[in-house]
Amino acid sequence: MTTRSDKMATWPIPKLLFSMGIPAVISMLIQALYNIVDTIYISNYSQDAMFAIGLVFPMQMIGLSLALGTGVGIGTLVSRRLGEGNKKEATHVATTGILLGLFHALLILLLGVFGAKPFLEMFTERPDIIELGYEYLLIVMSLNIGQMLAVSFERILQSQGNMIVPMITLIMGAVTNIILDPILIFGMFGLPAMGIKGAAIATVIGQIISMLADLFFVLHGKHEVNIQFKGFKFDMRIVRDIYSVGIPTAIMNMIGSVTTTLMNGVLVNFTENAVTSLSLYFKLQSFVFMPVFGFNQGALPILAYNYGSRNKDRYMKTARLYLLTAIGFMFVGMLLFRFKTDLMLSFFEMNDELKAIAEVTLRTISLSFIPAAISIAITTMFQSFGKGTISMIQSILRQLGFLIPAAYLLSNVSLEAIWYAYPIAEIAVVIIFVPMIIKLYHNSFEGAD
């Protein structure tokens, strides 16, 4: 009987990558859809609520960043151990990762309780905005356990080549969120209208549904890697190995939160609508970036497996196909953002000033999409080699080394000029890190067939 990990060693790369990538792409597009639906409903509820969502977005991303970092660390290490034929340690890695996820959920809960209000007070003195943002953050961060564990379960399954179950469970959570949003925000079927609080409740219920479904499949399905708590003991070597990839990945995503926070600090000096415009951009760009990250979820286990098994040819074929696919998605996205801007913004209720700013935002930042595709592919390759620290440095340079300084400088010109900081930063990173990943690839496979 052929196991799921066997197919990573034997299936043709195009068939393997697309069989693993397409379900993840569908999952990510569904994820993007319900992020958009949230914002559409909130824009119809209140412009102030939409501004508050824009302010809290960076802090909300901290929980997701930690979940993704832990998940990538678990998935990469499980794939490498399977590539080495060490299923026993792969199981120990998976169990360790789930326990780390529980600990991380507690950290995010404490951050939400004690940090949400001081964070909002950094950007506005309006008590109504602070209260709206606080209500939303307190719920999504205190009940972060659904998101934290769901991501870990998904990566454990994906590391074994199972992309269908994570797709199904994410869709279950997304559909739950989409159904509950209007019911809880506007008040339907006898329930009171809860506004922004209703949006937060719908989000966490959707995440918990995904987590419970993932847990069911992990515990009851037939897998090469299982969760085993009986006789379990923490192995600090495994914790270190998970964190060696996971923490840099989490930091990379958290840097995005820091960057958006700093950008909001620049933008709010022009107008509140500039902050909302950036928030709308992040919601809309997820339809472009999510497919790329979906294929990342398919490519990373394959790359890590073939690195572990020392298969240079299959590694390079996977990396090349993933890069071309990512560039293709980003090229289509750039065309949409530049030439169909009115259509993309037509879903939201907004005033004329916000619409004018958002149009310029989308058209300008879309110039960064193609170099961003190359940058994401490079990051994936670094992670597959276990070089999470280098990928973290890459992200720090892109966002804090290039993006923010460029944005501060361009803010002296005009609001419109600020958006050019994004393509400037992406191009600079590609120039620096392409030679580095080429050298690492050759050194890592030196002597391999």
Side-chain angles (χ1 to χ4, degrees):
M1 179 178 176
T2 301
T3 64
R4 290 190 177 101
S5 63
D6 286 338
K7 74 181 185 181
M8 293 199 195
T10 59
W11 281 21
I13 292 301
K15 178 183 177 182
L16 179 59
L17 179 59
F18 284 99
S19 70
M20 293 182 64
I22 289 175
V25 169
I26 295 172
S27 301
M28 300 298 266
L29 285 174
I30 295 294
Q31 179 85 15
L33 176 63
Y34 85 71
N35 286 338
I36 287 290
V37 170
D38 265 0
T39 308
I40 291 172
Y41 284 128
I42 290 171
S43 73
N44 281 273
Y45 177 76
S46 163
Q47 293 282 306
D48 282 346
M50 195 157 61
F51 173 51
I53 290 293
L55 286 181
V56 304
F57 176 72
M59 195 166 183
Q60 183 184 357
M61 283 299 296
I62 293 175
L64 178 59
S65 299
L66 196 52
L68 289 173
T70 307
V72 168
I74 298 166
T76 302
L77 194 56
V78 168
S79 292
R80 286 167 59 190
R81 294 298 177 262
L82 290 176
E84 296 163 0
N86 192 345
K87 294 182 182 180
K88 181 178 179 181
E89 183 158 316
T91 291
H92 201 107
V93 170
T95 307
T96 303
I98 296 303
L99 293 174
L100 291 176
L102 290 170
F103 173 66
H104 297 157
L106 176 60
L107 291 180
I108 297 302
L109 182 155
L110 294 173
L111 180 61
V113 170
F114 296 105
K117 191 161 287 188
F119 177 82
L120 287 158
E121 290 171 348
M122 292 168 55
F123 300 99
T124 181
E125 296 179 353
R126 291 176 56 186
D128 55 335
I129 298 296
I130 292 172
E131 187 60 28
L132 285 171
Y134 180 69
E135 287 179 352
Y136 186 86
L137 272 181
L138 191 62
I139 293 170
V140 297
M141 296 186 75
S142 296
L143 299 175
N144 183 260
I145 187 171
Q147 181 183 65
M148 192 68 68
L149 294 188
V151 172
S152 294
F153 287 135
E154 288 163 11
R155 293 301 177 123
I156 290 168
L157 292 167
Q158 290 166 355
S159 67
Q160 302 169 73
N162 187 339
M163 310 301 289
I164 300 298
V165 167
M167 177 186 73
I168 293 171
T169 58
L170 187 56
I171 289 174
M172 289 172 63
V175 170
T176 300
N177 191 353
I178 291 170
I179 293 172
L180 291 178
D181 259 335
I183 295 173
L184 299 181
I185 292 173
F186 299 106
M188 297 180 180
F189 307 112
L191 293 173
M194 291 185 278
I196 197 170
K197 188 184 295 184
I201 294 171
T203 295
V204 297
I205 291 176
Q207 292 168 351
I208 291 171
I209 291 294
S210 290
M211 178 198 71
L212 293 175
D214 281 319
L215 178 61
F216 175 83
F217 284 113
V218 167
L219 293 180
H220 294 90
K222 293 183 178 180
H223 312 290
E224 295 175 85
V225 176
N226 299 294
I227 308 299
Q228 294 183 356
F229 293 112
K230 185 177 181 180
F232 174 83
K233 292 183 180 180
F234 264 110
D235 184 335
M236 294 311 297
R237 176 181 56 84
I238 290 177
V239 173
R240 182 200 64 206
D241 288 344
I242 291 174
Y243 279 151
S244 69
V245 173
I247 291 299
T249 302
I251 291 174
M252 281 192 299
N253 286 278
M254 289 180 191
I255 287 169
S257 298
V258 173
T259 301
T260 305
T261 301
L262 295 173
M263 285 293 293
N264 284 345
V266 174
L267 297 172
V268 77
N269 292 322
F270 287 90
T271 169
E272 290 182 355
N273 280 329
V275 174
T276 305
S277 174
L278 184 61
S279 176
L280 290 175
Y281 160 76
F282 281 123
K283 301 293 184 180
L284 289 167
Q285 62 93 12
S286 63
F287 277 105
V288 181
F289 281 76
M290 286 299 191
V292 177
F293 289 129
F295 270 99
N296 167 283
Q297 291 182 29
L300 183 54
I302 302 171
L303 292 169
Y305 183 94
N306 285 295
Y307 171 56
S309 61
R310 308 294 294 160
N311 195 320
K312 179 179 180 180
D313 181 61
R314 287 177 65 81
Y315 185 98
M316 177 47 65
K317 286 180 179 178
T318 304
R320 186 184 297 117
L321 182 57
Y322 172 54
L323 175 60
L324 292 175
T325 304
I327 290 174
F329 275 116
M330 290 296 204
F331 179 72
V332 173
M334 182 186 69
L335 295 179
L336 288 172
F337 271 59
R338 288 194 65 79
F339 301 111
K340 295 294 182 180
T341 314
D342 287 344
L343 175 63
M344 301 182 74
L345 294 174
S346 65
F347 297 104
F348 307 100
E349 288 293 326
M350 59 182 71
N351 57 42
D352 291 340
E353 180 191 14
L354 175 56
K355 183 179 180 182
I357 294 172
E359 286 177 348
V360 176
T361 304
L362 267 59
R363 288 171 183 156
T364 306
I365 300 182
S366 68
L367 296 172
S368 68
F369 284 5
I370 291 178
I374 300 171
S375 181
I376 292 168
I378 292 171
T379 297
T380 305
M381 293 178 70
F382 279 133
Q383 291 169 344
S384 71
F385 289 125
K387 303 295 183 181
T389 301
I390 299 178
S391 59
M392 178 184 69
I393 293 170
Q394 176 188 347
S395 185
I396 291 173
L397 275 179
R398 182 176 74 250
Q399 300 186 72
L400 298 181
F402 298 126
L403 176 61
I404 294 302
Y408 272 96
L409 289 173
L410 292 170
S411 68
N412 295 314
V413 179
S414 66
L415 173 61
E416 292 77 11
I418 292 174
W419 311 123
Y420 283 97
Y422 284 88
I424 289 171
E426 295 292 356
I427 291 169
V429 164
V430 167
I431 291 171
I432 292 172
F433 284 91
V434 164
M436 291 179 63
I437 195 61
I438 292 173
K439 182 179 179 181
L440 177 61
Y441 165 76
H442 287 299
N443 290 341
S444 298
F445 283 103
E446 187 175 0
D449 293 333

